[in-house]
Amino acid sequence: MHSRCSGRQRLGTQRHHRRTDRKVNQGLEQLNNDIDIAQVSDYLKTLQDAICLALGEADGKGVFEEDAWESSNGQGRTRILQKGLLFEQAGVNFSHVEGSSLPAAASARHPELAGSPFQAMGVSLVIHPENPFVPTSHMNVRFFYAHTNDRPIWWFGGGFDLTPYYGYLEDAIHWHTTAKAAVDPFGSNLYPTLKKACDDYFFIKHRNEQRGIGGLFFDDYSEGGFETAFALTRSVGNHFLPAYLPIVSKRRAQAFSSDQRSFQLYRRGRYVEFNLVYDRGTLFGLQSGGRTESILMSLPPKVTWQYDRKDDPGSTEQTLVTDFLKPRDWLRESAMGS
């Protein structure tokens, strides 16, 4: 793996956790008595390593370049694969940021934390294949903690979702079967809850359509205490590759036309619209002083917009929207079909 350092030195663990703000230090000292922050960070970095290795092997040509960065409020490892045999662009980021005042993107949902010192860390990835029959995919797992005058507050969040350009029922069933397997050990009702949360979150309001076929989404999750919530988060992160790579393998060799490529670029526009208008992670990153290049690596390298495009009724392009980009109980339909 190639590495470049953005003209900045890598930030050692001790230096990274050294803050001049006494309030931050006091809060973190109290919080560290209850949770293992280093354990979360180690898992996230290991997950990033494993995903980059697997995606690089699947591509067969592309190499992830690492941009290790640091700033006044954090550090991270941005890894990008570009112009591969399979992936036009794949970005897998680890970041760990902190600040003395919680940004609006988070504090709007937690008014009791307004102005509180915080830290946030996570792995986020977005994969944009060149072949329009291979779906775009996104995964994120993250950990957040803040300290009020009364007590430390923490939670986990994350999930994964799939954005196809040409819909295949068997792919949707595989994706959601794997998603269900990731969370079933933590409660039989958890999959439908997190699936609905994903459908609700990845909705493009101004287009009145879903961004993709969904998956899992959770936030503000602390049920069962730190160990249980962390175990759920690890399970979601560890199930991403088994959910995605079999679909990639099945679709990667399908021949495609210039018209199908054009449709893919047009549909990528919806992805951009959601990320820049609605995505809380993007907004939080920008508002918290995160690294802009790393935050915006989720955007596809090529995209087009077409004014008021209308696809032929019954075409695969039209049925993507009418049949796939809407909330569906994929697993129930699969059971009924069998």
Side-chain angles (χ1 to χ4, degrees):
M1 180 176 294
H2 298 303
S3 177
R4 54 193 178 91
C5 237
S6 306
R8 303 182 177 99
Q9 294 180 332
R10 287 178 181 266
L11 198 61
T13 302
Q14 291 181 347
R15 180 183 171 194
H16 173 63
H17 288 297
R18 187 172 67 242
R19 300 289 293 171
T20 58
D21 188 337
R22 181 175 300 175
K23 184 178 180 182
V24 173
N25 283 328
Q26 291 173 343
L28 296 181
E29 182 179 356
Q30 181 176 347
L31 189 57
N32 274 317
N33 292 330
D34 302 321
I35 65 172
D36 191 339
I37 300 171
Q39 185 183 19
V40 179
S41 178
D42 289 345
Y43 167 71
L44 293 172
K45 292 177 182 178
T46 300
L47 179 65
Q48 183 193 33
D49 291 342
I51 290 175
C52 288
L53 178 62
L55 293 179
E57 291 177 349
D59 184 90
K61 172 191 173 184
V63 176
F64 276 94
E65 293 189 355
E66 179 176 288
D67 194 353
W69 58 270
E70 68 176 68
S71 68
S72 60
N73 64 337
Q75 54 90 32
R77 308 186 309 193
T78 297
R79 293 178 180 173
I80 300 290
L81 184 156
Q82 300 180 92
K83 299 180 180 179
L85 288 176
L86 171 62
F87 302 123
E88 191 168 8
Q89 180 171 293
V92 186
N93 289 350
F94 165 79
S95 64
H96 185 168
V97 298
E98 59 187 279
S100 59
S101 182
L102 192 66
S107 60
R109 293 179 294 118
H110 299 278
E112 76 279 10
L113 298 181
S116 299
F118 74 94
Q119 290 202 33
M121 64 181 74
V123 166
S124 181
L125 68 84
V126 177
I127 304 168
H128 293 291
E130 184 173 9
N131 189 321
F133 292 110
V134 182
T136 284
S137 188
H138 160 259
M139 189 276 290
N140 172 267
V141 284
R142 58 191 178 272
F143 179 62
F144 177 94
Y145 50 98
H147 194 271
T148 67
N149 292 329
D150 299 325
R151 68 192 190 284
I153 296 176
W154 60 268
W155 65 78
F156 288 91
F160 51 66
D161 60 282
L162 194 71
T163 304
Y165 304 101
Y166 288 90
Y168 291 93
L169 180 59
E170 61 266 37
D171 293 354
I173 291 171
H174 168 77
W175 180 257
H176 281 273
T177 298
T178 310
K180 185 174 186 295
V183 300
D184 268 357
F186 303 91
S188 59
N189 293 325
L190 199 54
Y191 166 73
T193 299
L194 302 191
K195 177 192 178 299
K196 183 180 186 304
C198 191
D199 289 336
D200 291 345
Y201 181 76
F202 291 105
F203 179 71
I204 309 173
K205 297 177 184 178
H206 61 275
R207 298 290 189 179
N208 195 33
E209 64 186 38
Q210 304 297 128
R211 190 176 80 170
I213 64 167
L216 302 169
F217 180 86
F218 63 102
D219 202 3
D220 301 344
Y221 194 90
S222 58
E223 294 183 21
F226 174 78
E227 291 298 334
T228 298
F230 185 26
L232 169 68
T233 303
R234 293 197 306 270
S235 185
V236 171
N238 295 343
H239 276 78
F240 171 74
L241 290 173
Y244 186 56
L245 288 184
I247 297 173
V248 171
S249 179
K250 183 181 294 186
R251 304 298 169 196
R252 63 181 299 165
Q254 288 186 229
F256 60 91
S257 67
S258 58
D259 286 344
Q260 289 164 334
R261 170 67 167 167
S262 176
F263 180 68
Q264 177 201 44
L265 298 182
Y266 165 71
R267 289 301 310 180
R268 280 180 175 178
R270 299 293 204 267
Y271 206 91
V272 172
E273 290 175 21
F274 178 88
N275 278 26
L276 294 183
V277 176
Y278 301 113
D279 186 66
R280 292 205 297 259
T282 300
L283 297 176
F284 177 84
L286 295 174
Q287 292 173 2
S288 63
R291 187 169 183 268
T292 302
E293 285 296 317
S294 300
I295 296 165
L296 298 183
M297 68 86 196
S298 64
L299 303 182
K302 295 181 181 179
V303 61
T304 63
W305 276 266
Q306 300 176 32
Y307 179 77
D308 198 25
R309 172 171 173 145
K310 304 292 185 185
D311 291 298
D312 293 335
S315 67
T316 52
E317 289 79 13
Q318 196 246 8
T319 56
L320 171 74
V321 177
T322 59
D323 294 358
F324 284 85
L325 300 187
K326 63 180 184 180
R328 288 173 59 173
D329 190 342
W330 302 99
L331 300 188
R332 181 173 179 272
E333 292 178 28
S334 173
M336 291 177 63
S338 62

